[in-house]
Amino acid sequence: MKKQVLVSVDRAETRVALLEAGGTPAAARSSAKQQRGGPDPGAGYRIAELYIERRGGRSIVGNIYKGKVDNVLPGLEAAFVDIGLEKNGFLHVDEIVLPGVEAPRRGRGSASGRKIADLLSPGQEVVVQVVKDPLKTKGARLSMELTIAGRYMVYAPTGEGVGVSRRLEDRERDRLRRQTAGLELGGGGVIIRTAAHGAKRADFERELKYLHKLHEVLEKRVAETVAPGLVFQEADLSVRVVRDVFSAHFERAIVDDEQQHHRLVSFFTRTAPELVQRVELWQQEEPLFEAYGVDKAIDGLLSRRVDLPSGGYLMIDYAEALTVIDVNSGSFIGRGKGAGLEDTITKTNLEAAEEVVNQLRLRDIGGIIVIDFIDMARARNRDAVMKTLRKTLDEDRTKTFTAEISKLGLVEMTRQNVTEGVREIMSRPCPTCSGEGVIRSEETIAIEIERRLRDIAAEEPQTEAFLVQLNPRVTAEFTGHGSRVLHALERQTGKSFLFEGSEGLALDHFAITFQGTREEVEERALPFRPGDEVLVEIVEPHMYDVDNAVAKIDGYIISIAGAASYVGEKRMVRIDQVGRTAASALLLDDSGAPIEPPAEHSGSAADKTARARRVASSKRAATSESSASGARARRGRRALESEDADARQEAGLSATPTAVDSEPEDQSADGAGAADAASAEKDSGGGDGLQSKPRRRGRRGGRRRSSAKAKATSD
């Protein structure tokens, strides 16, 4: 399979992408055609693996340290070693190699017969190599069996003999054994790497001399270094990846940085001169990763959903100890007239088996992995899915173990977790939900706060009112729908509650910032005073008045007269009237003078009448929708008739706007009088939050409005 390596170097990070033949990145294809008009460099390739290394977050796998044993734990058969990092490294008894001590077989320490307390003691200095990066709360995994990696082989100073990678074919393994027979190993051992496919004896001899020199330098540094300290640092990301994967199967390695290009050329000149010509420098204007569609692939790495070609999709969920991948058929309903349910399921699962491995490699997912395939009734279909899964895993360089598929369609597997994956490097837990993925709703928080307010009211019997600091979205649960929740709470507790806060507060924030008499709390709670001039963004038209518009500041509503044509703009306004949850304001011109409300007080009588009818019609429709009983409907009709007469009177007679007021929405449950209900309505949210006196509605007022209506009609 043909492959390419892309290396992109920025100031803050280095990115390496491994491309394999077998796909066409759509982003690269469109980008190349639009910007260059020439052939697409990424056509026929897909992004198989992606590695990111940032300054300050460089991987320490392969680094060798001179450390000091900090603690020995016989119960774990392990020791914690101080290597100079924030967290001590973990050294298991099976990873201990000491002169004169027989090396154990791999397995549990207790089975080998060796005891950690007999081998190490606190304060003892040891030379260790990192085999696994620190992950989350765990320190680095250490080993005393040191290795020095080269291009074709890995040299182990404490090892013996020659080993050959099992990933190679049997015929190639036999050939490599013949090529390396009789090599002067210098008292150590070597492991022939997969990248040595096709290498000659001269290549091994040249590289072995290079590795021996590195070992001599290592021994000298160990003698000079004071524990704890670093004595050998593994190569950076680009050299490490290219060294491990670049072979005759690779067409080329493309680098977009001159300095990094020079480093790779120098490395291959010493280790594999025949590959130097395949290292190219990217010199085009279009960014390398954009041209090959890698940037598009990176953008999708944080998404839970991965679509399949047929219409199915994968859902990838990360947990503390494992990763769960769920397979769904999605919009795929089968192909052809003879397609049945089992065929549709099998087709989806076969596509998912390939894509699962692609995502494991691309996202570098490690640890325990559970794949939930769609249940299949036939054993041969399950076998076909497992065969596809294992065949695709052959391309993965990371060690994996896969169990058989269960009757429930579950496949359990493990994948070696050496470093942090791309997802962990590119993201951090959400500060709001702490990585949980869900938060409590505004309604839930409001219910909990309501309980707390009742308790606080009972604990403070002498206090008349409280100023509560909340997020405006939670405040809306109290002040919305005519402030029914707030009024019920105040009736139950006998206290008054006013709110303040901003969108910057956490959704579950709660604090009592002031308490005292109602007048004192109101004085402190009101965000504005009549006459204040404020820059606001006009967000939407007024619900009932076609000429007015609304602005909102941290949930506080400002109704602006004559601002309907300025929706979406920022304008200076002068506060006219102020209430608990709402205010009214006038627009200001550039000189700071109020702008007269538009044409509702000018024009022909027919225009005035038509405008009044539109306003009255809107109010009539809103009231009929909110009527819940026959009595309230009758009150609403009387109010609408009065308001309709008011509007006609203003259209034909009045030249000055009247204050906004409203009827009480409901009488108090305890039989309070009309004055108490009107006062409660004045303090509620929306249009009833303005400080205006309720107008008397009676037979005399109705007769006056009827006369005005008749006069407006005659005009």
Side-chain angles (χ1 to χ4, degrees):
M1 178 184 294
K2 293 297 183 179
K3 303 178 182 180
Q4 295 187 31
V5 177
L6 309 180
V7 180
S8 178
V9 181
D10 292 325
R11 178 196 59 81
E13 69 179 5
T14 299
R15 300 178 296 173
V16 179
L18 172 63
L19 275 61
E20 293 180 349
T24 303
R29 180 170 60 251
S30 60
S31 176
K33 289 183 178 180
Q34 291 176 4
Q35 298 197 22
R36 289 191 305 275
D40 174 15
Y45 288 86
R46 63 177 178 83
I47 298 94
E49 297 177 11
L50 180 66
Y51 304 94
I52 298 178
E53 187 173 83
R54 294 178 175 172
R55 293 187 178 183
R58 181 171 175 175
S59 172
I60 63 173
V61 172
N63 288 2
I64 299 177
Y65 295 86
K66 186 176 182 180
K68 183 178 294 186
V69 178
D70 183 61
N71 195 13
V72 177
L73 304 177
L76 296 178
E77 290 295 345
F80 287 96
V81 182
D82 181 9
I83 58 176
L85 302 181
E86 181 180 356
K87 296 178 181 178
N88 290 340
F90 180 84
L91 177 64
H92 192 264
V93 67
D94 287 348
E95 301 291 347
I96 297 176
V97 177
L98 294 172
V101 179
E102 182 181 357
R105 294 181 179 180
R106 293 295 178 186
R108 298 294 181 188
S110 58
S112 65
R114 306 196 312 169
K115 300 295 182 181
I116 188 74
D118 299 333
L119 301 176
L120 298 178
S121 58
Q124 181 178 346
E125 294 185 354
V126 292
V127 180
V128 293
Q129 187 172 33
V130 177
V131 296
K132 187 175 181 179
D133 274 327
L135 298 176
K136 297 180 181 178
T137 60
K138 299 179 180 178
R141 185 72 180 262
L142 307 177
S143 174
M144 293 180 65
E145 187 174 356
L146 308 183
T147 58
I148 304 175
R151 176 75 182 85
Y152 298 123
M153 62 178 69
V154 176
Y155 176 61
T158 58
E160 59 182 16
V162 178
V164 182
S165 172
R166 295 181 179 179
R167 299 181 64 87
L168 294 168
E169 298 177 355
D170 292 340
R171 181 179 299 178
E172 180 63 17
R173 294 180 66 194
D174 294 338
R175 189 192 70 82
L176 291 174
R177 286 194 181 95
R178 292 193 297 270
Q179 292 291 328
T180 56
L183 282 177
E184 184 59 40
L185 301 180
V190 296
I191 300 174
I192 308 302
R193 311 184 66 174
T194 307
H197 188 285
K200 304 295 191 295
R201 184 178 181 87
D203 299 325
F204 296 115
E205 291 176 346
R206 180 180 65 250
E207 184 163 284
L208 193 56
K209 292 180 181 179
Y210 169 69
L211 295 177
H212 282 161
K213 290 182 179 179
L214 288 180
H215 182 236
E216 292 176 1
V217 174
L218 173 62
E219 288 183 325
K220 182 179 179 181
R221 290 182 179 176
V222 168
E224 297 174 350
T225 302
V226 178
L230 174 68
V231 296
F232 175 83
Q233 187 173 29
E234 179 63 292
D236 61 16
L237 176 65
S238 58
V239 174
R240 189 167 66 248
V241 173
V242 173
R243 177 195 67 194
D244 294 346
V245 305
F246 205 67
S247 64
H249 293 292
F250 283 81
E251 293 181 329
R252 55 183 176 170
I254 308 175
V255 190
D256 65 0
D257 181 75
E258 291 186 7
Q259 184 177 359
Q260 198 67 29
H261 175 263
H262 177 71
R263 294 186 63 183
L264 291 178
V265 169
S266 299
F267 172 76
F268 281 117
T269 300
R270 296 192 307 269
T271 59
E274 70 278 4
L275 298 179
V276 171
Q277 299 299 323
R278 300 188 186 183
V279 182
E280 301 178 6
L281 178 64
W282 181 263
Q283 296 179 315
Q284 299 187 31
E285 294 183 0
E286 186 178 13
L288 175 62
F289 271 32
E290 183 178 338
Y292 279 81
V294 182
D295 284 339
K296 187 69 173 179
I298 293 176
D299 292 340
L301 290 180
L302 301 182
S303 174
R304 293 177 58 234
R305 174 167 173 154
V306 180
D307 293 323
L308 300 175
S310 65
Y313 61 92
L314 308 178
M315 294 298 292
I316 304 177
D317 291 299
Y318 302 87
E320 179 67 24
L322 54 83
T323 301
V324 180
I325 303 177
D326 184 32
V327 181
N328 299 279
S329 59
S331 61
F332 182 54
I333 56 175
R335 300 281 174 81
K337 296 182 179 179
L341 176 61
E342 184 74 7
D343 296 331
T344 302
I345 292 174
T346 304
K347 170 69 173 176
T348 304
N349 284 340
L350 289 173
E351 290 183 353
E354 293 185 5
E355 188 58 36
V356 163
V357 178
N358 293 340
Q359 292 299 317
L360 295 181
R361 297 176 62 192
L362 187 59
R363 302 179 185 222
D364 197 15
I365 299 175
I368 301 173
I369 301 162
V370 177
I371 309 169
D372 183 11
F373 288 104
I374 306 174
D375 295 348
M376 293 170 286
R378 299 172 186 171
R380 69 170 182 268
N381 292 336
R382 294 195 293 268
D383 293 340
V385 171
M386 285 302 302
K387 183 178 179 181
T388 301
L389 181 65
R390 290 196 170 99
K391 182 179 179 181
T392 312
L393 281 171
D394 289 341
E395 295 295 329
D396 189 6
R397 297 182 298 112
T398 304
K399 294 180 181 179
T400 59
F401 171 77
T402 307
E404 293 294 332
I405 189 169
S406 70
K407 294 182 179 180
L408 297 177
L410 299 178
V411 172
E412 301 171 8
M413 64 175 293
T414 60
R415 189 171 185 269
Q416 188 178 21
N417 198 351
V418 177
T419 62
E420 285 188 319
V422 177
R423 173 177 174 268
E424 285 72 20
I425 294 175
M426 295 179 58
S427 64
R428 66 181 179 90
C430 171
T432 301
C433 70
S434 301
E436 294 295 330
V438 294
I439 59 174
R440 291 181 298 170
S441 67
E442 291 86 346
E443 183 181 12
T444 301
I445 296 172
I447 291 173
E448 294 178 357
I449 290 176
E450 184 179 353
R451 297 192 186 104
R452 296 176 67 178
L453 291 177
R454 285 199 296 266
D455 294 339
I456 292 173
E459 295 171 359
E460 302 283 346
Q462 303 302 323
T463 304
E464 183 178 346
F466 299 87
L467 181 58
V468 186
Q469 190 178 64
L470 302 176
N471 185 294
R473 287 186 287 170
V474 179
T475 302
E477 296 292 326
F478 290 92
T479 60
H481 304 290
S483 300
R484 286 194 293 269
V485 174
L486 178 60
H487 291 162
L489 177 63
E490 290 179 335
R491 286 195 301 269
Q492 182 181 2
T493 61
K495 311 291 184 182
S496 295
F497 299 98
L498 290 90
F499 302 100
E500 66 175 1
S502 65
E503 291 289 350
L505 294 174
L507 199 61
D508 58 352
H509 177 82
F510 170 81
I512 301 293
T513 58
F514 186 74
Q515 59 188 50
T517 65
R518 180 183 175 89
E519 290 74 15
E520 292 173 339
V521 174
E522 283 185 349
E523 178 68 20
R524 182 158 177 170
L526 296 179
F528 306 109
R529 298 292 181 270
D532 288 351
E533 295 183 357
V534 186
L535 178 65
V536 299
E537 182 177 1
I538 304 173
V539 295
E540 61 187 27
H542 197 281
M543 182 178 296
Y544 302 122
D545 195 322
V546 294
D547 294 323
N548 296 351
V550 171
K552 296 180 181 178
I553 300 179
D554 290 330
Y556 191 81
I557 300 173
I558 303 176
S559 177
I560 307 170
S565 60
Y566 299 100
V567 173
E569 299 182 15
K570 291 185 177 181
R571 297 298 300 261
M572 289 293 297
V573 299
R574 180 176 296 164
I575 302 299
D576 183 27
Q577 296 178 349
V578 181
R580 279 209 293 181
T581 59
S584 64
L586 299 174
L587 277 173
L588 301 180
D589 59 18
D590 295 338
S591 64
I595 300 176
E596 291 295 331
E600 66 175 353
H601 306 303
S602 61
S604 65
D607 292 338
K608 301 173 191 175
T609 303
R611 184 178 298 107
R613 285 175 176 172
R614 288 199 303 269
V615 174
S617 177
S618 298
K619 293 182 178 180
R620 184 181 297 110
T623 303
S624 25
E625 288 178 3
S626 62
S627 295
S629 65
R632 291 181 60 188
R634 287 191 295 272
R635 287 199 303 272
R637 283 195 296 271
R638 288 197 299 268
L640 286 173
E641 290 171 358
S642 300
E643 290 164 352
D644 183 69
D646 282 344
R648 294 176 180 274
Q649 182 180 5
E650 291 174 1
L653 299 176
S654 178
T656 56
T658 59
V660 180
D661 56 9
S662 60
E663 279 275 326
E665 182 178 317
D666 201 354
Q667 294 293 336
S668 301
D670 57 358
D676 294 337
S679 176
E681 186 68 4
K682 182 189 73 171
D683 293 333
S684 64
D688 59 356
L690 302 180
Q691 292 182 338
S692 56
K693 296 181 179 180
R695 185 176 297 168
R696 291 182 58 188
R697 308 292 189 188
R699 296 176 58 86
R700 291 180 60 191
R703 286 195 294 270
R704 286 199 300 270
R705 290 174 177 80
S706 299
S707 301
K709 178 178 178 182
K711 185 175 182 179
T713 305
S714 63
D715 291 341

